[in-house]
Amino acid sequence: MTLEDFSLQWNDSNPRLLVHTSGSTGAPKPLWVEKSRMRASARITCQYLGLREGDTALLCLPLDYIAGKMMAVRAWEWHLRLLAVSPGSHPLAALAQTFPNESAIDFAAMIPMQVIRSLENEQEATALKNIKNLIIGGGAIDENLALQLHSFPNAVYSTYGMTETLSHVALRRMSGSEASLWYTPFEGVTISLDSNQRIVIEAPEVCAERLVTNDIGEMDTDHRRFRILGRADNVICTGGIKVQAEEVERLLANSISEPFFVTATPDAVLGQVVTIVVQKERSLASQSSVIDESSEHWLRRHYDSFTRLLPPYWYPRKALFVDRFPMTETGKIIRKIPSLID
């Protein structure tokens, strides 16, 4: 979808707009949302960040999904100057090519992959650090990226939200002295946990219904701020023990040099076992679930890290190798890989 196409939809007489979920946990689903609630979401974000009329915003996310749509709506509703570039992995290189005389960006939204790729180029990294307000969503920010973001001179935030909440309803500061592990909800947003520790969102200005998410969370002592432990559908039940895949990833992040993620594979005895999927330049297993000597050697090579960092039931029992992680169009890893785990 082009910006012109979306502008026509936004300005037509229909009070609702059709959007689609990102598809990170299944097939993308259609969802009708009210334009008035999108306007409310835009206002809340722009006020929180202190944006002013005439500030420059960068649109570098696909307009097919809510994150891209909301960047355009924020610009239109708050009278920002909107610069739109192709939603690729190097948005600031695209900005320099498309708008060579533009350098001062007041507001941008990116996915982690775009931030990581930008940091790999010196000029792009400089431009990234000069963005006055950068929000990052659509995927987890790992510890290595978080460490780099902490030294940024301007405001960088991780976002929390989903299509149903019309983008984010809470932000977590990543840069400077205000950096935190906890997300702070916007005014008018209430976060709580249900009996299964799933995050529950009540945000009447942007979402008509109380929303029970699939995210497993923890509340701070102030009973307002919260952090995310992982997703309910990423809980691995192994021998009666529940293991959160994202927590295993967090604990192993600094001890494994290759890109990896954690998932579950079936096991006749334990039901499921913790399985680590490693991205290699060349696939050692040719997308096979058969654990050969290379996989066993990889597990042995990291066994000391497992014993030092993980409880015994959390140890990865299988390793799979792929050339490239399967991703959604919005840059999220698809953890359910039938071709690997069947």
Side-chain angles (χ1 to χ4, degrees), residues 119 141-152 172 174-176 179 254:
L119 286 170
I141 296 174
D142 66 25
E143 291 193 14
N144 181 55
L145 179 56
L147 184 62
Q148 295 180 75
L149 295 173
H150 190 274
S151 64
F152 273 38
R172 175 166 75 98
M174 304 296 299
S175 61
N254 293 325

mmCIF file of all heavy atoms in Angstrom, residues 119 141-152 172 174-176 179 254:
data_model
loop_
_atom_site.group_PDB
_atom_site.id
_atom_site.type_symbol
_atom_site.label_atom_id
_atom_site.label_comp_id
_atom_site.label_asym_id
_atom_site.label_seq_id
_atom_site.Cartn_x
_atom_site.Cartn_y
_atom_site.Cartn_z
ATOM 1 N N LEU A 119 22.944 0.395 12.608
ATOM 2 C CA LEU A 119 24.126 0.509 13.455
ATOM 3 C C LEU A 119 25.369 -0.103 12.819
ATOM 4 O O LEU A 119 26.485 0.156 13.258
ATOM 5 C CB LEU A 119 23.867 -0.144 14.810
ATOM 6 C CG LEU A 119 22.942 0.638 15.749
ATOM 7 C CD1 LEU A 119 22.553 -0.215 16.950
ATOM 8 C CD2 LEU A 119 23.608 1.932 16.200
ATOM 9 N N ILE A 141 13.867 -6.603 21.905
ATOM 10 C CA ILE A 141 15.178 -5.960 21.856
ATOM 11 C C ILE A 141 16.120 -6.777 22.719
ATOM 12 O O ILE A 141 15.925 -6.881 23.939
ATOM 13 C CB ILE A 141 15.097 -4.512 22.367
ATOM 14 C CG1 ILE A 141 14.201 -3.678 21.433
ATOM 15 C CG2 ILE A 141 16.485 -3.893 22.476
ATOM 16 C CD1 ILE A 141 13.953 -2.269 21.925
ATOM 17 N N ASP A 142 17.120 -7.388 22.096
ATOM 18 C CA ASP A 142 18.013 -8.251 22.873
ATOM 19 C C ASP A 142 19.002 -7.412 23.691
ATOM 20 O O ASP A 142 19.081 -6.191 23.552
ATOM 21 C CB ASP A 142 18.735 -9.267 21.978
ATOM 22 C CG ASP A 142 19.712 -8.627 20.995
ATOM 23 O OD1 ASP A 142 20.211 -7.514 21.250
ATOM 24 O OD2 ASP A 142 19.993 -9.258 19.955
ATOM 25 N N GLU A 143 19.754 -8.093 24.543
ATOM 26 C CA GLU A 143 20.615 -7.391 25.493
ATOM 27 C C GLU A 143 21.737 -6.625 24.799
ATOM 28 O O GLU A 143 22.134 -5.546 25.246
ATOM 29 C CB GLU A 143 21.188 -8.378 26.511
ATOM 30 C CG GLU A 143 20.146 -8.934 27.462
ATOM 31 C CD GLU A 143 20.761 -9.658 28.635
ATOM 32 O OE1 GLU A 143 21.974 -9.518 28.854
ATOM 33 O OE2 GLU A 143 20.018 -10.357 29.347
ATOM 34 N N ASN A 144 22.250 -7.172 23.705
ATOM 35 C CA ASN A 144 23.318 -6.492 22.990
ATOM 36 C C ASN A 144 22.826 -5.178 22.401
ATOM 37 O O ASN A 144 23.488 -4.137 22.515
ATOM 38 C CB ASN A 144 23.871 -7.388 21.879
ATOM 39 C CG ASN A 144 25.000 -6.731 21.115
ATOM 40 O OD1 ASN A 144 25.998 -6.306 21.699
ATOM 41 N ND2 ASN A 144 24.851 -6.628 19.802
ATOM 42 N N LEU A 145 21.659 -5.197 21.768
ATOM 43 C CA LEU A 145 21.100 -3.965 21.214
ATOM 44 C C LEU A 145 20.737 -2.995 22.333
ATOM 45 O O LEU A 145 20.976 -1.783 22.215
ATOM 46 C CB LEU A 145 19.874 -4.288 20.358
ATOM 47 C CG LEU A 145 19.164 -3.088 19.727
ATOM 48 C CD1 LEU A 145 20.117 -2.258 18.882
ATOM 49 C CD2 LEU A 145 17.977 -3.553 18.887
ATOM 50 N N ALA A 146 20.165 -3.500 23.425
ATOM 51 C CA ALA A 146 19.813 -2.632 24.550
ATOM 52 C C ALA A 146 21.034 -1.899 25.090
ATOM 53 O O ALA A 146 20.966 -0.703 25.440
ATOM 54 C CB ALA A 146 19.153 -3.451 25.655
ATOM 55 N N LEU A 147 22.169 -2.592 25.141
ATOM 56 C CA LEU A 147 23.403 -1.971 25.623
ATOM 57 C C LEU A 147 23.827 -0.826 24.711
ATOM 58 O O LEU A 147 24.257 0.237 25.192
ATOM 59 C CB LEU A 147 24.503 -3.027 25.707
ATOM 60 C CG LEU A 147 25.850 -2.572 26.283
ATOM 61 C CD1 LEU A 147 25.678 -2.110 27.729
ATOM 62 C CD2 LEU A 147 26.871 -3.694 26.202
ATOM 63 N N GLN A 148 23.700 -1.013 23.408
ATOM 64 C CA GLN A 148 24.063 0.054 22.470
ATOM 65 C C GLN A 148 23.101 1.237 22.571
ATOM 66 O O GLN A 148 23.520 2.388 22.520
ATOM 67 C CB GLN A 148 24.063 -0.499 21.045
ATOM 68 C CG GLN A 148 25.123 -1.560 20.793
ATOM 69 C CD GLN A 148 25.082 -2.073 19.369
ATOM 70 O OE1 GLN A 148 25.521 -1.399 18.423
ATOM 71 N NE2 GLN A 148 24.528 -3.271 19.183
ATOM 72 N N LEU A 149 21.825 0.947 22.740
ATOM 73 C CA LEU A 149 20.828 2.014 22.813
ATOM 74 C C LEU A 149 20.980 2.844 24.082
ATOM 75 O O LEU A 149 20.625 4.026 24.097
ATOM 76 C CB LEU A 149 19.421 1.418 22.762
ATOM 77 C CG LEU A 149 19.032 0.707 21.462
ATOM 78 C CD1 LEU A 149 17.688 0.020 21.621
ATOM 79 C CD2 LEU A 149 19.006 1.678 20.290
ATOM 80 N N HIS A 150 21.517 2.236 25.130
ATOM 81 C CA HIS A 150 21.636 2.940 26.412
ATOM 82 C C HIS A 150 22.499 4.195 26.289
ATOM 83 O O HIS A 150 22.286 5.175 27.005
ATOM 84 C CB HIS A 150 22.223 1.992 27.463
ATOM 85 C CG HIS A 150 22.168 2.537 28.850
ATOM 86 N ND1 HIS A 150 23.147 3.362 29.376
ATOM 87 C CD2 HIS A 150 21.243 2.382 29.831
ATOM 88 C CE1 HIS A 150 22.834 3.690 30.611
ATOM 89 N NE2 HIS A 150 21.686 3.111 30.917
ATOM 90 N N SER A 151 23.467 4.183 25.368
ATOM 91 C CA SER A 151 24.378 5.323 25.234
ATOM 92 C C SER A 151 23.878 6.376 24.242
ATOM 93 O O SER A 151 24.553 7.387 24.037
ATOM 94 C CB SER A 151 25.757 4.825 24.782
ATOM 95 O OG SER A 151 25.683 4.237 23.494
ATOM 96 N N PHE A 152 22.723 6.174 23.637
ATOM 97 C CA PHE A 152 22.201 7.148 22.677
ATOM 98 C C PHE A 152 21.932 8.475 23.383
ATOM 99 O O PHE A 152 21.443 8.494 24.515
ATOM 100 C CB PHE A 152 20.919 6.635 22.036
ATOM 101 C CG PHE A 152 21.137 5.771 20.815
ATOM 102 C CD1 PHE A 152 22.188 4.873 20.747
ATOM 103 C CD2 PHE A 152 20.287 5.858 19.723
ATOM 104 C CE1 PHE A 152 22.393 4.081 19.637
ATOM 105 C CE2 PHE A 152 20.480 5.076 18.601
ATOM 106 C CZ PHE A 152 21.539 4.177 18.557
ATOM 107 N N ARG A 172 8.879 1.884 27.209
ATOM 108 C CA ARG A 172 10.000 1.612 28.133
ATOM 109 C C ARG A 172 11.213 2.377 27.637
ATOM 110 O O ARG A 172 11.653 2.203 26.498
ATOM 111 C CB ARG A 172 10.288 0.113 28.175
ATOM 112 C CG ARG A 172 11.506 -0.251 29.001
ATOM 113 C CD ARG A 172 11.550 -1.746 29.284
ATOM 114 N NE ARG A 172 11.950 -2.535 28.144
ATOM 115 C CZ ARG A 172 13.185 -2.995 27.931
ATOM 116 N NH1 ARG A 172 14.167 -2.694 28.774
ATOM 117 N NH2 ARG A 172 13.453 -3.742 26.885
ATOM 118 N N MET A 174 14.871 3.295 26.846
ATOM 119 C CA MET A 174 16.055 2.478 26.591
ATOM 120 C C MET A 174 17.348 3.265 26.701
ATOM 121 O O MET A 174 18.421 2.677 26.804
ATOM 122 C CB MET A 174 15.972 1.861 25.189
ATOM 123 C CG MET A 174 14.730 1.031 24.913
ATOM 124 S SD MET A 174 14.611 -0.436 25.960
ATOM 125 C CE MET A 174 16.088 -1.328 25.489
ATOM 126 N N SER A 175 17.289 4.582 26.643
ATOM 127 C CA SER A 175 18.502 5.400 26.575
ATOM 128 C C SER A 175 18.656 6.280 27.809
ATOM 129 O O SER A 175 17.688 6.679 28.454
ATOM 130 C CB SER A 175 18.462 6.291 25.329
ATOM 131 O OG SER A 175 17.338 7.163 25.377
ATOM 132 N N GLY A 176 19.921 6.578 28.122
ATOM 133 C CA GLY A 176 20.231 7.555 29.156
ATOM 134 C C GLY A 176 19.936 7.094 30.575
ATOM 135 O O GLY A 176 19.709 5.918 30.854
ATOM 136 N N ALA A 179 16.741 5.022 31.525
ATOM 137 C CA ALA A 179 16.558 3.667 31.003
ATOM 138 C C ALA A 179 16.019 2.749 32.097
ATOM 139 O O ALA A 179 16.415 2.839 33.263
ATOM 140 C CB ALA A 179 17.865 3.130 30.451
ATOM 141 N N ASN A 254 24.458 -13.753 26.142
ATOM 142 C CA ASN A 254 25.857 -13.318 26.099
ATOM 143 C C ASN A 254 26.856 -14.466 25.980
ATOM 144 O O ASN A 254 28.066 -14.227 25.908
ATOM 145 C CB ASN A 254 26.181 -12.500 27.351
ATOM 146 C CG ASN A 254 25.425 -11.187 27.381
ATOM 147 O OD1 ASN A 254 25.204 -10.565 26.348
ATOM 148 N ND2 ASN A 254 25.012 -10.761 28.564
#
